[in-house]
PDB file of all heavy atoms in Angstrom:
ATOM      1  N   LEU A   1    -360.345 -29.758  62.824  1.00 93.00           N
ATOM      2  CA  LEU A   1    -359.247 -29.823  61.858  1.00 93.00           C
ATOM      3  C   LEU A   1    -358.036 -28.965  62.301  1.00 93.00           C
ATOM      4  O   LEU A   1    -356.941 -29.425  62.126  1.00 93.00           O
ATOM      5  CB  LEU A   1    -359.723 -29.231  60.525  1.00 93.00           C
ATOM      6  CG  LEU A   1    -358.558 -29.306  59.251  1.00 93.00           C
ATOM      7  CD1 LEU A   1    -358.119 -30.717  59.089  1.00 93.00           C
ATOM      8  CD2 LEU A   1    -359.222 -28.771  57.923  1.00 93.00           C
ATOM      9  N   PHE A   2    -358.438 -27.746  62.994  1.00 91.00           N
ATOM     10  CA  PHE A   2    -357.211 -26.938  63.457  1.00 91.00           C
ATOM     11  C   PHE A   2    -356.585 -27.789  64.569  1.00 91.00           C
ATOM     12  O   PHE A   2    -355.361 -27.804  64.662  1.00 91.00           O
ATOM     13  CB  PHE A   2    -357.841 -25.627  64.015  1.00 91.00           C
ATOM     14  CG  PHE A   2    -356.839 -24.915  64.824  1.00 91.00           C
ATOM     15  CD1 PHE A   2    -355.950 -24.076  64.207  1.00 91.00           C
ATOM     16  CD2 PHE A   2    -356.901 -24.959  66.204  1.00 91.00           C
ATOM     17  CE1 PHE A   2    -354.993 -23.207  64.997  1.00 91.00           C
ATOM     18  CE2 PHE A   2    -355.984 -24.213  66.984  1.00 91.00           C
ATOM     19  CZ  PHE A   2    -355.004 -23.431  66.310  1.00 91.00           C
ATOM     20  N   ALA A   3    -357.431 -28.336  65.357  1.00 90.00           N
ATOM     21  CA  ALA A   3    -356.889 -29.089  66.580  1.00 90.00           C
ATOM     22  C   ALA A   3    -355.977 -30.246  66.083  1.00 90.00           C
ATOM     23  O   ALA A   3    -354.900 -30.603  66.514  1.00 90.00           O
ATOM     24  CB  ALA A   3    -357.978 -29.579  67.500  1.00 90.00           C
ATOM     25  N   PHE A   4    -356.510 -31.000  65.087  1.00 92.00           N
ATOM     26  CA  PHE A   4    -355.680 -32.118  64.422  1.00 92.00           C
ATOM     27  C   PHE A   4    -354.395 -31.718  63.873  1.00 92.00           C
ATOM     28  O   PHE A   4    -353.422 -32.381  64.013  1.00 92.00           O
ATOM     29  CB  PHE A   4    -356.559 -32.798  63.399  1.00 92.00           C
ATOM     30  CG  PHE A   4    -355.835 -34.031  62.798  1.00 92.00           C
ATOM     31  CD1 PHE A   4    -355.855 -35.263  63.416  1.00 92.00           C
ATOM     32  CD2 PHE A   4    -355.353 -34.006  61.600  1.00 92.00           C
ATOM     33  CE1 PHE A   4    -355.091 -36.349  62.902  1.00 92.00           C
ATOM     34  CE2 PHE A   4    -354.699 -35.102  60.949  1.00 92.00           C
ATOM     35  CZ  PHE A   4    -354.615 -36.194  61.674  1.00 92.00           C
ATOM     36  N   ALA A   5    -354.409 -30.499  63.263  1.00 91.00           N
ATOM     37  CA  ALA A   5    -353.152 -29.890  62.644  1.00 91.00           C
ATOM     38  C   ALA A   5    -352.165 -29.332  63.672  1.00 91.00           C
ATOM     39  O   ALA A   5    -350.985 -29.347  63.383  1.00 91.00           O
ATOM     40  CB  ALA A   5    -353.530 -28.775  61.572  1.00 91.00           C
ATOM     41  N   ASN A   6    -352.629 -28.916  64.871  1.00 89.00           N
ATOM     42  CA  ASN A   6    -351.828 -28.156  65.729  1.00 89.00           C
ATOM     43  C   ASN A   6    -351.506 -28.820  67.072  1.00 89.00           C
ATOM     44  O   ASN A   6    -350.741 -28.413  67.914  1.00 89.00           O
ATOM     45  CB  ASN A   6    -352.373 -26.891  65.999  1.00 89.00           C
ATOM     46  CG  ASN A   6    -352.391 -25.920  64.814  1.00 89.00           C
ATOM     47  OD1 ASN A   6    -351.260 -25.177  64.709  1.00 89.00           O
ATOM     48  ND2 ASN A   6    -353.308 -25.794  63.931  1.00 89.00           N
ATOM     49  N   ALA A   7    -352.271 -29.967  67.466  1.00 87.00           N
ATOM     50  CA  ALA A   7    -352.155 -30.550  68.744  1.00 87.00           C
ATOM     51  C   ALA A   7    -351.243 -31.871  68.799  1.00 87.00           C
ATOM     52  O   ALA A   7    -351.164 -32.532  69.881  1.00 87.00           O
ATOM     53  CB  ALA A   7    -353.553 -30.991  69.282  1.00 87.00           C
ATOM     54  N   GLY A   8    -350.488 -32.141  67.659  1.00 87.00           N
ATOM     55  CA  GLY A   8    -349.748 -33.282  67.474  1.00 87.00           C
ATOM     56  C   GLY A   8    -348.488 -33.240  68.200  1.00 87.00           C
ATOM     57  O   GLY A   8    -347.360 -33.005  67.639  1.00 87.00           O
ATOM     58  N   VAL A   9    -348.444 -33.345  69.510  1.00 86.00           N
ATOM     59  CA  VAL A   9    -347.158 -33.372  70.441  1.00 86.00           C
ATOM     60  C   VAL A   9    -346.475 -34.496  70.020  1.00 86.00           C
ATOM     61  O   VAL A   9    -346.928 -35.705  70.179  1.00 86.00           O
ATOM     62  CB  VAL A   9    -347.559 -33.277  71.935  1.00 86.00           C
ATOM     63  CG1 VAL A   9    -346.165 -33.306  72.723  1.00 86.00           C
ATOM     64  CG2 VAL A   9    -348.401 -32.158  72.240  1.00 86.00           C
ATOM     65  N   VAL A  10    -345.165 -34.309  69.701  1.00 86.00           N
ATOM     66  CA  VAL A  10    -344.183 -35.531  69.369  1.00 86.00           C
ATOM     67  C   VAL A  10    -343.495 -35.769  70.754  1.00 86.00           C
ATOM     68  O   VAL A  10    -342.684 -34.940  71.255  1.00 86.00           O
ATOM     69  CB  VAL A  10    -343.178 -35.119  68.249  1.00 86.00           C
ATOM     70  CG1 VAL A  10    -342.217 -36.337  68.106  1.00 86.00           C
ATOM     71  CG2 VAL A  10    -343.926 -34.762  67.044  1.00 86.00           C
ATOM     72  N   LEU A  11    -343.748 -36.938  71.244  1.00 83.00           N
ATOM     73  CA  LEU A  11    -343.212 -37.410  72.543  1.00 83.00           C
ATOM     74  C   LEU A  11    -341.823 -37.978  72.508  1.00 83.00           C
ATOM     75  O   LEU A  11    -341.201 -38.112  73.533  1.00 83.00           O
ATOM     76  CB  LEU A  11    -344.186 -38.358  73.321  1.00 83.00           C
ATOM     77  CG  LEU A  11    -345.605 -37.775  73.569  1.00 83.00           C
ATOM     78  CD1 LEU A  11    -346.409 -38.833  74.125  1.00 83.00           C
ATOM     79  CD2 LEU A  11    -345.689 -36.593  74.494  1.00 83.00           C
ATOM     80  N   GLN A  12    -341.420 -38.337  71.366  1.00 81.00           N
ATOM     81  CA  GLN A  12    -340.082 -38.868  71.229  1.00 81.00           C
ATOM     82  C   GLN A  12    -339.018 -37.977  71.612  1.00 81.00           C
ATOM     83  O   GLN A  12    -338.943 -36.799  71.263  1.00 81.00           O
ATOM     84  CB  GLN A  12    -339.811 -39.264  69.692  1.00 81.00           C
ATOM     85  CG  GLN A  12    -338.590 -40.066  69.491  1.00 81.00           C
ATOM     86  CD  GLN A  12    -338.309 -40.472  68.052  1.00 81.00           C
ATOM     87  OE1 GLN A  12    -339.149 -40.129  67.198  1.00 81.00           O
ATOM     88  NE2 GLN A  12    -337.248 -41.150  67.766  1.00 81.00           N
ATOM     89  N   GLY A  13    -338.182 -38.473  72.564  1.00 75.00           N
ATOM     90  CA  GLY A  13    -337.134 -37.660  72.998  1.00 75.00           C
ATOM     91  C   GLY A  13    -337.444 -36.821  74.376  1.00 75.00           C
ATOM     92  O   GLY A  13    -336.631 -36.197  74.838  1.00 75.00           O
ATOM     93  N   MET A  14    -338.784 -36.877  74.682  1.00 76.00           N
ATOM     94  CA  MET A  14    -339.232 -36.119  75.886  1.00 76.00           C
ATOM     95  C   MET A  14    -339.077 -37.035  77.066  1.00 76.00           C
ATOM     96  O   MET A  14    -339.241 -38.309  77.024  1.00 76.00           O
ATOM     97  CB  MET A  14    -340.668 -35.626  75.718  1.00 76.00           C
ATOM     98  CG  MET A  14    -340.765 -34.450  74.859  1.00 76.00           C
ATOM     99  SD  MET A  14    -342.382 -33.599  74.790  1.00 76.00           S
ATOM    100  CE  MET A  14    -342.019 -31.989  73.931  1.00 76.00           C
ATOM    101  N   SER A  15    -339.080 -36.446  78.275  1.00 76.00           N
ATOM    102  CA  SER A  15    -339.068 -37.068  79.637  1.00 76.00           C
ATOM    103  C   SER A  15    -339.942 -36.213  80.477  1.00 76.00           C
ATOM    104  O   SER A  15    -340.331 -35.186  80.120  1.00 76.00           O
ATOM    105  CB  SER A  15    -337.651 -37.413  80.136  1.00 76.00           C
ATOM    106  OG  SER A  15    -336.980 -36.143  80.310  1.00 76.00           O
ATOM    107  N   LEU A  16    -340.064 -36.710  81.768  1.00 78.00           N
ATOM    108  CA  LEU A  16    -340.766 -35.841  82.700  1.00 78.00           C
ATOM    109  C   LEU A  16    -340.044 -34.471  82.981  1.00 78.00           C
ATOM    110  O   LEU A  16    -340.675 -33.531  83.239  1.00 78.00           O
ATOM    111  CB  LEU A  16    -340.943 -36.681  84.038  1.00 78.00           C
ATOM    112  CG  LEU A  16    -341.998 -37.837  84.001  1.00 78.00           C
ATOM    113  CD1 LEU A  16    -341.869 -38.548  85.307  1.00 78.00           C
ATOM    114  CD2 LEU A  16    -343.302 -37.308  83.815  1.00 78.00           C
ATOM    115  N   SER A  17    -338.794 -34.596  82.794  1.00 79.00           N
ATOM    116  CA  SER A  17    -338.002 -33.402  83.050  1.00 79.00           C
ATOM    117  C   SER A  17    -338.403 -32.262  81.952  1.00 79.00           C
ATOM    118  O   SER A  17    -338.089 -31.074  82.108  1.00 79.00           O
ATOM    119  CB  SER A  17    -336.574 -33.556  83.009  1.00 79.00           C
ATOM    120  OG  SER A  17    -336.150 -34.186  81.868  1.00 79.00           O
ATOM    121  N   SER A  18    -338.904 -32.732  80.809  1.00 80.00           N
ATOM    122  CA  SER A  18    -339.202 -31.767  79.750  1.00 80.00           C
ATOM    123  C   SER A  18    -340.357 -30.842  80.186  1.00 80.00           C
ATOM    124  O   SER A  18    -340.554 -29.755  79.723  1.00 80.00           O
ATOM    125  CB  SER A  18    -339.643 -32.554  78.493  1.00 80.00           C
ATOM    126  OG  SER A  18    -338.633 -33.350  77.998  1.00 80.00           O
ATOM    127  N   LEU A  19    -341.109 -31.281  81.142  1.00 84.00           N
ATOM    128  CA  LEU A  19    -342.210 -30.472  81.714  1.00 84.00           C
ATOM    129  C   LEU A  19    -341.696 -29.286  82.414  1.00 84.00           C
ATOM    130  O   LEU A  19    -342.418 -28.337  82.680  1.00 84.00           O
ATOM    131  CB  LEU A  19    -343.099 -31.313  82.590  1.00 84.00           C
ATOM    132  CG  LEU A  19    -343.940 -32.444  81.851  1.00 84.00           C
ATOM    133  CD1 LEU A  19    -344.730 -33.275  82.900  1.00 84.00           C
ATOM    134  CD2 LEU A  19    -344.955 -31.934  80.744  1.00 84.00           C
ATOM    135  N   LEU A  20    -340.524 -29.344  82.865  1.00 87.00           N
ATOM    136  CA  LEU A  20    -339.917 -28.269  83.637  1.00 87.00           C
ATOM    137  C   LEU A  20    -339.138 -27.149  82.766  1.00 87.00           C
ATOM    138  O   LEU A  20    -338.593 -26.288  83.375  1.00 87.00           O
ATOM    139  CB  LEU A  20    -338.957 -28.839  84.648  1.00 87.00           C
ATOM    140  CG  LEU A  20    -339.522 -29.772  85.689  1.00 87.00           C
ATOM    141  CD1 LEU A  20    -338.530 -30.342  86.656  1.00 87.00           C
ATOM    142  CD2 LEU A  20    -340.696 -29.193  86.421  1.00 87.00           C
ATOM    143  N   ASP A  21    -339.199 -27.374  81.450  1.00 91.00           N
ATOM    144  CA  ASP A  21    -338.543 -26.468  80.607  1.00 91.00           C
ATOM    145  C   ASP A  21    -339.423 -25.197  80.682  1.00 91.00           C
ATOM    146  O   ASP A  21    -340.729 -25.272  80.990  1.00 91.00           O
ATOM    147  CB  ASP A  21    -338.663 -27.023  79.063  1.00 91.00           C
ATOM    148  CG  ASP A  21    -337.568 -28.015  78.952  1.00 91.00           C
ATOM    149  OD1 ASP A  21    -336.625 -28.081  79.761  1.00 91.00           O
ATOM    150  OD2 ASP A  21    -337.552 -28.833  77.910  1.00 91.00           O
ATOM    151  N   PRO A  22    -338.867 -24.038  80.412  1.00 93.00           N
ATOM    152  CA  PRO A  22    -339.567 -22.784  80.577  1.00 93.00           C
ATOM    153  C   PRO A  22    -340.898 -22.529  79.933  1.00 93.00           C
ATOM    154  O   PRO A  22    -341.919 -22.134  80.446  1.00 93.00           O
ATOM    155  CB  PRO A  22    -338.534 -21.676  80.129  1.00 93.00           C
ATOM    156  CG  PRO A  22    -337.227 -22.307  80.307  1.00 93.00           C
ATOM    157  CD  PRO A  22    -337.420 -23.748  79.998  1.00 93.00           C
ATOM    158  N   VAL A  23    -340.967 -22.999  78.572  1.00 95.00           N
ATOM    159  CA  VAL A  23    -342.200 -22.933  77.852  1.00 95.00           C
ATOM    160  C   VAL A  23    -343.401 -23.689  78.349  1.00 95.00           C
ATOM    161  O   VAL A  23    -344.458 -23.290  78.733  1.00 95.00           O
ATOM    162  CB  VAL A  23    -341.933 -23.060  76.339  1.00 95.00           C
ATOM    163  CG1 VAL A  23    -343.249 -23.143  75.552  1.00 95.00           C
ATOM    164  CG2 VAL A  23    -341.045 -21.919  75.872  1.00 95.00           C
ATOM    165  N   PRO A  24    -343.142 -25.067  78.380  1.00 94.00           N
ATOM    166  CA  PRO A  24    -344.340 -25.847  78.857  1.00 94.00           C
ATOM    167  C   PRO A  24    -344.745 -25.624  80.236  1.00 94.00           C
ATOM    168  O   PRO A  24    -345.851 -25.710  80.661  1.00 94.00           O
ATOM    169  CB  PRO A  24    -343.796 -27.331  78.599  1.00 94.00           C
ATOM    170  CG  PRO A  24    -342.323 -27.247  78.581  1.00 94.00           C
ATOM    171  CD  PRO A  24    -342.015 -25.910  77.947  1.00 94.00           C
ATOM    172  N   LEU A  25    -343.632 -25.410  81.115  1.00 95.00           N
ATOM    173  CA  LEU A  25    -343.972 -25.034  82.547  1.00 95.00           C
ATOM    174  C   LEU A  25    -344.788 -23.698  82.679  1.00 95.00           C
ATOM    175  O   LEU A  25    -345.850 -23.645  83.365  1.00 95.00           O
ATOM    176  CB  LEU A  25    -342.665 -24.992  83.328  1.00 95.00           C
ATOM    177  CG  LEU A  25    -342.908 -24.963  84.899  1.00 95.00           C
ATOM    178  CD1 LEU A  25    -343.545 -26.045  85.388  1.00 95.00           C
ATOM    179  CD2 LEU A  25    -341.521 -24.769  85.568  1.00 95.00           C
ATOM    180  N   GLY A  26    -344.378 -22.695  81.937  1.00 96.00           N
ATOM    181  CA  GLY A  26    -344.985 -21.365  81.983  1.00 96.00           C
ATOM    182  C   GLY A  26    -346.445 -21.419  81.473  1.00 96.00           C
ATOM    183  O   GLY A  26    -347.302 -20.951  82.082  1.00 96.00           O
ATOM    184  N   VAL A  27    -346.565 -22.242  80.348  1.00 96.00           N
ATOM    185  CA  VAL A  27    -347.938 -22.419  79.646  1.00 96.00           C
ATOM    186  C   VAL A  27    -348.788 -23.096  80.664  1.00 96.00           C
ATOM    187  O   VAL A  27    -349.964 -22.717  80.911  1.00 96.00           O
ATOM    188  CB  VAL A  27    -347.833 -23.023  78.381  1.00 96.00           C
ATOM    189  CG1 VAL A  27    -349.223 -23.345  77.846  1.00 96.00           C
ATOM    190  CG2 VAL A  27    -347.109 -22.139  77.362  1.00 96.00           C
ATOM    191  N   ALA A  28    -348.308 -24.335  81.198  1.00 96.00           N
ATOM    192  CA  ALA A  28    -349.222 -25.181  81.872  1.00 96.00           C
ATOM    193  C   ALA A  28    -349.635 -24.571  83.266  1.00 96.00           C
ATOM    194  O   ALA A  28    -350.808 -24.370  83.643  1.00 96.00           O
ATOM    195  CB  ALA A  28    -348.554 -26.550  82.199  1.00 96.00           C
ATOM    196  N   LEU A  29    -348.632 -23.930  83.948  1.00 96.00           N
ATOM    197  CA  LEU A  29    -349.009 -23.306  85.170  1.00 96.00           C
ATOM    198  C   LEU A  29    -349.762 -22.047  84.913  1.00 96.00           C
ATOM    199  O   LEU A  29    -350.564 -21.625  85.886  1.00 96.00           O
ATOM    200  CB  LEU A  29    -347.606 -22.886  85.950  1.00 96.00           C
ATOM    201  CG  LEU A  29    -346.983 -24.106  86.618  1.00 96.00           C
ATOM    202  CD1 LEU A  29    -345.760 -23.659  87.388  1.00 96.00           C
ATOM    203  CD2 LEU A  29    -347.807 -25.026  87.511  1.00 96.00           C
ATOM    204  N   GLY A  30    -349.493 -21.360  83.856  1.00 96.00           N
ATOM    205  CA  GLY A  30    -350.329 -20.181  83.589  1.00 96.00           C
ATOM    206  C   GLY A  30    -351.794 -20.511  83.414  1.00 96.00           C
ATOM    207  O   GLY A  30    -352.644 -19.806  84.044  1.00 96.00           O
ATOM    208  N   LEU A  31    -352.115 -21.730  82.754  1.00 96.00           N
ATOM    209  CA  LEU A  31    -353.429 -22.111  82.506  1.00 96.00           C
ATOM    210  C   LEU A  31    -354.069 -22.657  83.887  1.00 96.00           C
ATOM    211  O   LEU A  31    -355.144 -22.421  84.313  1.00 96.00           O
ATOM    212  CB  LEU A  31    -353.513 -23.107  81.587  1.00 96.00           C
ATOM    213  CG  LEU A  31    -353.311 -22.711  80.113  1.00 96.00           C
ATOM    214  CD1 LEU A  31    -353.129 -23.847  79.086  1.00 96.00           C
ATOM    215  CD2 LEU A  31    -354.431 -21.739  79.562  1.00 96.00           C
ATOM    216  N   ILE A  32    -353.273 -23.298  84.573  1.00 96.00           N
ATOM    217  CA  ILE A  32    -353.746 -24.115  85.873  1.00 96.00           C
ATOM    218  C   ILE A  32    -353.858 -23.123  87.093  1.00 96.00           C
ATOM    219  O   ILE A  32    -354.857 -22.898  87.682  1.00 96.00           O
ATOM    220  CB  ILE A  32    -352.862 -25.300  86.186  1.00 96.00           C
ATOM    221  CG1 ILE A  32    -352.923 -26.397  85.141  1.00 96.00           C
ATOM    222  CG2 ILE A  32    -353.392 -25.957  87.628  1.00 96.00           C
ATOM    223  CD1 ILE A  32    -351.805 -27.454  85.287  1.00 96.00           C
ATOM    224  N   VAL A  33    -352.786 -22.517  87.350  1.00 97.00           N
ATOM    225  CA  VAL A  33    -352.638 -21.575  88.478  1.00 97.00           C
ATOM    226  C   VAL A  33    -353.068 -20.191  88.086  1.00 97.00           C
ATOM    227  O   VAL A  33    -353.772 -19.572  88.895  1.00 97.00           O
ATOM    228  CB  VAL A  33    -351.148 -21.605  89.146  1.00 97.00           C
ATOM    229  CG1 VAL A  33    -351.121 -20.631  90.269  1.00 97.00           C
ATOM    230  CG2 VAL A  33    -350.750 -22.972  89.396  1.00 97.00           C
TER     231      VAL A  33
END
């Protein structure tokens, strides 16, 4: 239920360049690298 309430990424208005924004890039590379 927590995941359902908090994992709803709204993709509208996003592009591949959105992944390079500081927050998603920092979070993703923090977890991966």
Side-chain angles (χ1 to χ4, degrees):
L1 181 58
F2 170 83
F4 182 74
N6 288 273
V9 179
V10 179
L11 300 176
Q12 184 179 2
M14 284 192 171
S15 63
L16 289 176
S17 62
S18 300
L19 295 174
L20 300 179
D21 289 340
V23 170
L25 188 62
V27 171
L29 290 183
L31 290 171
I32 299 168
V33 178

